[in-house]
Amino acid sequence: MTQVIGDLALGVRLAVGGSRKSWGRLALQGIGIGLCVAVLLLAAAIPNALKVRDDRADSLNEVAQGTGPAPLLMEEMYVHFRSLDIAGNYVNVRAQNAPVPPGLERLPGDGEIVVSPALAELLASPDAGLLKPRFPQKVIGTISQAGLIGPHDLLFYAGDTTIAEDESNRVYAFGKTYERQAPEPILWMLSLVGIVVLLFPVLVFVGVATRLAAAQRDRRLAALRLVGAAASRVRLIASGETLVGALTGLVFGIGFFFAARPLADDISIAEVAIFPADLLPTPELAALVLVAVPVLAVLTSLFAMRRTIIEPLGVVRHQKPVRRRLWWRLVPTVAGIALLVSQFGAIGDKDSRFQFYVIAGVVLLMLSIPVMLPWLVERVVSWMRGATPALQLAVRRLQLDAGTAARVVGGVAVVLAGTVTLQVLIASVEKDVLAEEKRDVAHNFVTLTPKDDFDTAGFKDAVAASDGVRAVHVLDRTFAKLPDGRVTNVSVGTCAALKAQAEVTDCTDGKAYLVRFARGTAEARPGEVVMVGGKSPWTVPELAEVPGTAPGVFLTPAAATGLDLSGEKPQFQAELDLAVPDAAEHMRNAIAPYSWRVHAYFYGQDDTAEVELVFGAVRRALIAGSVLTLLLAGASLLVMALEQVRERRRSLAVMAASGVPRGILARSLLWQNGVPLVLSTTIAVGTGVLLGVMVVRVFDAEVVYDWQGMATLTGASVALVLAVTALTLPSLRRATGALGLRTE
Amino acid sequence: MAIGHALLGLLEGGPRHGYDLKRAYDERFGHDRPLAYGQVYSTLSRLLKNGLVAEAGVEAGDGPERKRYAITDAGVTDVERWLGTPEKPEPYLQNTLYSKVVLALLSGRSATDVLDTQRAAHLSVMRDLTKRKADGDLADQLICDFALFHLEADLRWLELTAARLDKLAQEVGK
Amino acid sequence: MSLLVAQDLHKSFGKTHALEGAGLTIRAGEIVAVMGPSGSGKSTLLHCIAGILPPDSGVVRYGDRELTSMSDRERSELRRTDFGFVFQFGQLVPELTCLENVALPLRLSGMKRKDAERAAKDWMAKLEVDGVADQRPGETSGGQGQRVAIARALVTAPKVIFADEPTGALDSLNGERVMHLLTSAARETGAAVVLVTHEARVAAYSDREVVVRDGKARDVEFVR
């Protein structure tokens, strides 16, 4: 046992060494592993953060059942401002003991309002001029974290004593847990694949960071082996060395994590932003990360050193390494592809085990990159002949030691592949989503839906008088139950009103139109008898098919004879003059006094933009993340390149002395970094696309390629090679200076 | 080695008795083989005959006659020529070479020059041997190599001496 | 007549004065041994006259060109075309095969791979190392490696070969062979050789020697 500890300690001493160079290497390793640890801790904190959010969301649910008269009446109404949705709660306090929602000190009285910090900030911002008229109330406080789900929630509670009790607005208490619906499979799968794809490279980088400056260490340990240390002892010494780096990494990582945590509420996407306090890994996951990283580091270094331990002489004498074998490297690739292919179209399955297979397939394919790459680099390089002296020098160098280069760029390749996969996935899913959500951007109608009975004539006048409103149309809406049990919308209005809904042409009274559903479901067929409002039968007349934004049946008044519209509130369509800036906001301000009684929804502007925003943000985050990982890869590539220059100092100096131009030496370095990276980028994009396509096939969606994103990443990796080579040049210059010849 | 040159070199420091000369010689170069009195006087009389030394008075006193000898200009020239002429490169030279170096130091001449001159002579012979080796058969090569290694040993010793000249000068000057 | 002339060279590294007024003359085709104890400035003198190191002061003339006023690039090219180098160790590119190492200077001057390797092969045969053409330097013996290096130095038909302790890492027999091959090849091609060594037996392959002591060089003419 003391032997074991002694060997580990020797490893520690070798790692630290005491020279400035060894401290630098340790710091670099610490930063590399530390970044990975921080990312892993962040990921480990997400489940907890989501749970805390869910818990708070539950605590905000109102309880509508109780005995006696309701102590509180609450009307919920979204206030839309440009592309922002502000969740509004209008309350009427009817008893002293009225329940106070979490996060509020007291309930607002008439003319009072409590706002969330984000809303307060929005109202104070210079852009809020058009929003303020909708909030004439006196602000009596802000909602604390307990009453918010995320830090960017736009939310308010406003007092309004005019709310009359009905069956939908009674509140007896707050805090009710509803059965949570499982997330939609496609989103759930997307998240899981995303997490795997993003976290896997992190694990690979733990390995890469562990192997920083590995060639030198290999030689050191080979020397130990040559002087008679047994293989098991060399393994222990190596483990000791690696552990120092890994533990330094853990310390750095925890530091990074807590340093980055306060930034969690600065994330600009409201749905993703998290209260820093919510971001804390569960003890189990944190422990898993803190144990897994050192274990992974040690295993990686032992695995990578297996040849040094078996053939120490080969490392010391720089002999040509033994050829890598292919067959076992193919296993993950084949298994991964097989697993994924077997699950094509499985998204419809009720059996949820397919998720496991898909994840396993993705992980296996990702794993196949770092496993295959050393073999591939070796093979490609072995039949490359140097056409120019620079290329020849690089190729020969790579033939001697393809492993080191392949390992570093293997990390890059995994990141790239993961990113490309996600890009294909997102592009494909995004196309689906956008196809349904956004079919007409030039839409210029605001839909006004009254929630309560009020003087609709006065309301219509107020809307019409607003700046930028061309006309106000009335639309009666109901729904129809089809014979097969499905439901479609039915709208009745004048030709002018219908134009707000669909691209109707040559409209005359008496005509009827159909806008198809994007997916071709739930169509009303002429002659069919449908149940209007679910209760009164009606025969569908002849329908003219037109393109439009909202699917359903559209009738002119004459065509709607016999249609039972009792009990339905009319809907208003305000036709805007889009030439007037912010026409919708002006109109909404004009009807501000109606507050919760009218929902003003600007289709297209309120919604589609948000979808684009989220996807855009996700894509940006993805690119930022992969660029970050690329930088990490660049750092390790740089260390490797610098070390190689140092190691080959003598040979470089002699070449320079014999008149080999420095340009050729520099170009050989460029090739030496570039050849593996170009190979790995090709493999990465290939694997990424393959993976993306296969997962999309599992979703049964159409494959879309994000060429621009791929080009960005490929460009970034090329830039990386150039940057790394450029940074190596000063040390090359030093090595090739005449002083390099002097014996040390 | 010529004892005469050594005695001349010692006389350069100033006139001495024959007995003094013997003692100085034994101290510096005699080591295991002290000079016999007879050898000293016969050498001195030869030098006297050749005009390289001159009598510089007689000291009266007990015991044997105490004649003082001084070096002449011709004697100085002779020493100079001797120091400037390399020894014929051959094995077992160290006695002569050593004497030369010490005398050069004693007389304030450049010991380095003595060494360089000798090296040039050695190398010249070594070059001939090397050429003979290239043209000869194996037997020639082996014979030449023997000579080459010995000459090289001399030169190595010379280099070592050269490297220690400062220290030697200190000791000689004591 | 004189191919390479150096006058009054000074060179310091920090506080160490490596050369203090050294000078020498190399004539075409002659083999000159530069001798002297370690630390005397032999190697620095070689680096300066070969245009690897610029001296702090002094002049080096090669033919009618002044090396000391040439740019780094020009000197680099001159070294590649007119000079050849043999060092004690570590001069072969470890990744390249021996043949590729020998062919490298020719390829750098723009010769086609095939032609360069054919010329390289000829020289390797002359130096009796054509057997290791496809091996890497790490797989050859020290003597073979030095002979490969000599082949590389000779392949461009240089006017001057600079050899810095070429036998320093070899045993006597291998050293003799390397020296014999180097000098006879140089005489055959008419190349001058500047041979830095501290071994007399190696210096005996020269026509004359130059002794460097305390940063000063003194010419010793060949006394016949």
Side-chain angles (χ1 to χ4, degrees), chain C residues 150-170:
Chain C
I150 292 170
R152 186 171 74 175
L154 284 162
V155 77
T156 52
K159 297 279 191 307
V160 191
I161 294 170
F162 295 92
D164 191 352
E165 301 281 9
T167 61
L170 303 179

Side-chain angles (χ1 to χ4, degrees), chain A residues 34-98:
Chain A
L35 285 175
C36 301
V37 169
V39 171
L40 288 172
L41 283 177
L42 217 59
I46 286 172
N48 193 40
L50 292 182
K51 187 182 173 301
V52 176
R53 280 169 73 118
D54 285 349
D55 288 349
R56 274 204 302 270
D58 282 344
S59 75
L60 292 176
N61 287 334
E62 61 273 14
V63 179
Q65 282 81 37
T67 49
L72 185 70
L73 300 179
M74 189 162 95
E75 285 288 350
E76 292 169 20
M77 176 56 65
Y78 272 96
V79 174
H80 302 284
F81 178 61
R82 294 192 181 132
S83 63
L84 299 172
D85 294 339
I86 304 163
N89 295 300
Y90 294 86
V91 292
N92 183 359
V93 185
R94 301 212 302 183
Q96 278 293 313
N97 62 344

Side-chain angles (χ1 to χ4, degrees), chain C residues 24 66 71 79 86 115 128 160-161 212:
Chain C
L24 88 171
E66 202 172 295
S71 73
R79 293 201 298 268
V86 183
D115 300 337
E128 301 162 23
V160 191
I161 294 170
V212 183

Side-chain angles (χ1 to χ4, degrees), chain A residues 317-320 385-390 392-393 396-400 648 650-651 654-662 664 733 738-739 741-743, chain C residues 13 18 44 47 52-54 72 76-77 79-80 83 85 87-97 100 104 107-108 113 117 136 138-140 152:
Chain A
R317 293 200 59 180
H318 291 275
Q319 264 167 3
K320 197 173 176 173
R385 307 289 310 255
T388 66
Q392 184 180 47
L393 283 170
R396 288 299 199 203
R397 172 81 201 168
L398 287 172
Q399 282 174 4
L400 260 195
R648 307 172 62 219
R650 172 88 200 167
S651 146
V654 170
M655 276 197 271
S658 325
V660 177
R662 268 196 208 124
I664 286 190
R733 183 162 282 273
L739 295 184
L741 265 186
R742 292 174 67 82
T743 34
Chain C
F13 301 103
T44 308
H47 292 162
I52 298 172
L53 262 185
D72 186 61
S76 184
E77 189 180 337
R79 293 201 298 268
R80 194 168 69 235
F83 297 167
F85 292 88
F87 296 95
Q88 183 175 349
F89 66 95
Q91 52 201 313
L92 296 174
V93 184
E95 295 89 8
L96 300 184
T97 64
E100 285 167 341
L104 188 62
R107 299 202 59 206
L108 288 171
R113 186 192 179 106
E117 290 189 353
R136 289 175 205 268
E139 299 164 64
T140 63
R152 186 171 74 175

Side-chain angles (χ1 to χ4, degrees), chain A residues 619-630:
Chain A
R619 198 186 292 128
R620 270 201 307 280
L622 197 63
I623 288 181
S626 28
V627 165
L628 206 72
T629 342
L630 272 178

Side-chain angles (χ1 to χ4, degrees), chain A residues 525-695:
Chain A
R525 286 184 201 83
E528 254 175 13
V529 176
V530 296
M531 303 302 281
V532 173
K535 50 192 195 286
S536 50
W538 179 67
T539 311
V540 179
E542 204 58 37
L543 296 171
E545 202 176 302
V546 289
T549 48
V553 175
F554 294 88
L555 306 171
T556 48
T561 43
L563 197 73
D564 180 12
L565 286 170
S566 63
E568 300 294 338
K569 293 187 186 94
Q571 201 182 52
F572 299 88
Q573 298 285 341
E575 187 182 347
L576 298 181
D577 178 2
L578 290 182
V580 177
D582 280 323
E585 301 310 323
H586 286 294
M587 192 274 292
R588 280 168 175 157
N589 283 342
I591 58 167
Y594 292 88
S595 67
W596 55 271
R597 290 179 173 84
V598 177
H599 182 218
Y601 186 67
F602 193 4
Y603 188 85
Q605 263 67 5
D606 290 352
D607 197 47
T608 322
E610 187 75 3
V611 169
E612 277 186 333
L613 208 69
V614 170
F615 270 101
V618 169
R619 198 186 292 128
R620 270 201 307 280
L622 197 63
I623 288 181
S626 28
V627 165
L628 206 72
T629 342
L630 272 178
L631 278 181
L632 187 58
S636 30
L637 204 61
L638 181 63
V639 174
M640 195 186 77
L642 286 178
E643 191 172 85
Q644 275 190 3
V645 169
R646 206 175 47 79
E647 188 184 304
R648 307 172 62 219
R649 208 180 125 113
R650 172 88 200 167
S651 146
L652 289 170
V654 170
M655 276 197 271
S658 325
V660 177
R662 268 196 208 124
I664 286 190
L665 296 178
R667 253 174 287 147
S668 93
L669 279 181
L670 181 67
W671 284 117
Q672 208 177 303
N673 295 332
V675 167
L677 204 68
V678 165
L679 267 178
S680 74
T681 307
T682 316
I683 297 301
V685 171
T687 314
V689 169
L690 176 75
L691 203 52
V693 167
M694 293 208 291
V695 176

Side-chain angles (χ1 to χ4, degrees), chain A residues 29 206-207 210-211 214 217-218 221 235 237-243 294-309:
Chain A
Q29 213 171 50
V206 171
T210 308
R211 298 286 296 159
R217 187 172 58 182
D218 278 3
L221 292 173
R235 281 198 196 97
I237 293 167
S239 306
E241 269 198 83
T242 314
L243 272 180
V295 167
L296 193 72
V298 168
L299 286 182
T300 316
S301 85
L302 288 186
F303 183 70
M305 278 191 35
R306 66 200 186 285
R307 230 167 42 78
T308 312
I309 289 171

